[in-house]
Amino acid sequence: METQPHILKNMNGPPQFNVGLKPIALENWLLPDDQVEWLKQKNLILDKSPDEVFQALANSLAAQTEAADLVAITVGKQLQQNEPPLLAASRLVSDDLIVMEKQGDIWQLTALSLCSPTFFDAKYAVGNSLALLHGPIPTGGFDLVGRIARIFDSFAPDNVLERFNWTVQWGADKYTPNGQKLRDEAASASIAEAPKMLFERVERQTIRRLPKTGAVLFTIRVRLNNLFDILQDPAARAAFENAWNAAPENVRQYKKWQPLERHVAAIL
């Protein structure tokens, strides 16, 4: 997989709340890990606040174990044996790891390690269904949950699907379970701070079916890049300006961009 330092110049309009998954080669699933420098900070978070970033239902151990073994084999590293399997696997890659299992007719989040959350936390997410997790998303009538569930049901274990999404945030923190703090800082900041404090936040997401348990392993790798620096590229600037200005009001509200509007205007 070609590493992308940013995706702004490849944007196709404003954020799209659809499935957007595309197949990638199996060998490109977790490697190369272009955010490997995050592992040191990530492990500090896992050591300091494990209950804040790792949650699992009691019946998730088999799927956790299968997911963890697959991650360890893929990256050629050993799992620590003194902690839950998914947490141990999370120490090996920059990606956050989320396990979804089908309970009856409903896909449910049964275990997750979430050290770079985009404004939500592990305690909120664990145990939730696809419908609850995606309920607030402004899909415009598109059956996003149904489409994702059908993909989970049907795709084969040797396939990997990938998608990207993006937003803009204030500051360069990856561990952001509560976006309100950043929004408050942006609301009170001078626009002179915008060039150093506005960041493009990109999530690279993948899904992979686990062959033994039938669970789905969902991965999220976060990249943060200074927006002002990116916009020095004319193609990226044009793409971003179009995407930002074309985003409808319901998208802007869902993304909670209001405190950022004047700052983005300043650097454009």
Side-chain angles (χ1 to χ4, degrees), residues 238-254:
F240 174 75
E241 188 166 14
N242 173 63
W244 181 265
N245 291 334
E249 186 58 31
N250 63 339
V251 169
R252 310 183 92 81
Q253 290 178 2
Y254 174 75

Side-chain angles (χ1 to χ4, degrees), residues 77-136:
K77 298 179 182 179
Q78 296 293 316
L79 296 166
Q80 291 186 192
Q81 299 300 313
N82 60 343
E83 56 192 5
L86 198 71
L87 192 158
S90 185
R91 295 185 182 277
L92 307 183
V93 290
S94 66
D95 308 69
D96 286 335
L97 304 176
I98 297 170
V99 171
M100 305 287 298
E101 297 184 76
K102 198 165 189 181
Q103 311 291 345
D105 293 331
I106 297 172
W107 282 95
Q108 180 185 36
L109 196 161
T110 60
L112 75 165
S113 176
L114 195 65
C115 295
S116 48
T118 304
F119 318 135
F120 72 107
D121 60 45
K123 289 181 178 179
Y124 159 78
V126 72
N128 279 347
S129 66
L130 272 177
L132 287 174
L133 291 168
H134 293 86

Side-chain angles (χ1 to χ4, degrees), residues 213-267:
T213 60
V216 167
L217 178 59
F218 180 69
T219 74
I220 306 173
R221 179 177 298 173
V222 169
R223 299 183 178 108
L224 284 164
N225 292 284
N226 180 271
L227 183 60
F228 183 78
D229 291 344
I230 292 171
L231 297 185
Q232 304 316 299
D233 176 339
R237 181 186 183 89
F240 174 75
E241 188 166 14
N242 173 63
W244 181 265
N245 291 334
E249 186 58 31
N250 63 339
V251 169
R252 310 183 92 81
Q253 290 178 2
Y254 174 75
K255 295 281 189 179
K256 297 182 171 64
W257 282 347
Q258 290 81 359
L260 302 177
E261 298 276 6
R262 64 191 176 95
H263 296 293
V264 172
I267 67 169

Side-chain angles (χ1 to χ4, degrees), residues 53-84:
V53 295
F54 175 79
Q55 290 286 315
L57 301 184
N59 63 352
S60 68
L61 185 58
Q64 279 192 63
T65 301
E66 186 179 12
D69 288 344
L70 186 59
V71 170
I73 290 169
T74 298
V75 300
K77 298 179 182 179
Q78 296 293 316
L79 296 166
Q80 291 186 192
Q81 299 300 313
N82 60 343
E83 56 192 5

Side-chain angles (χ1 to χ4, degrees), residues 197-209:
M197 293 300 292
L198 285 175
F199 281 78
E200 171 217 44
R201 184 183 183 108
V202 176
E203 288 186 348
R204 183 247 188 184
Q205 304 171 355
T206 75
I207 60 171
R208 184 169 179 179
R209 189 76 176 267

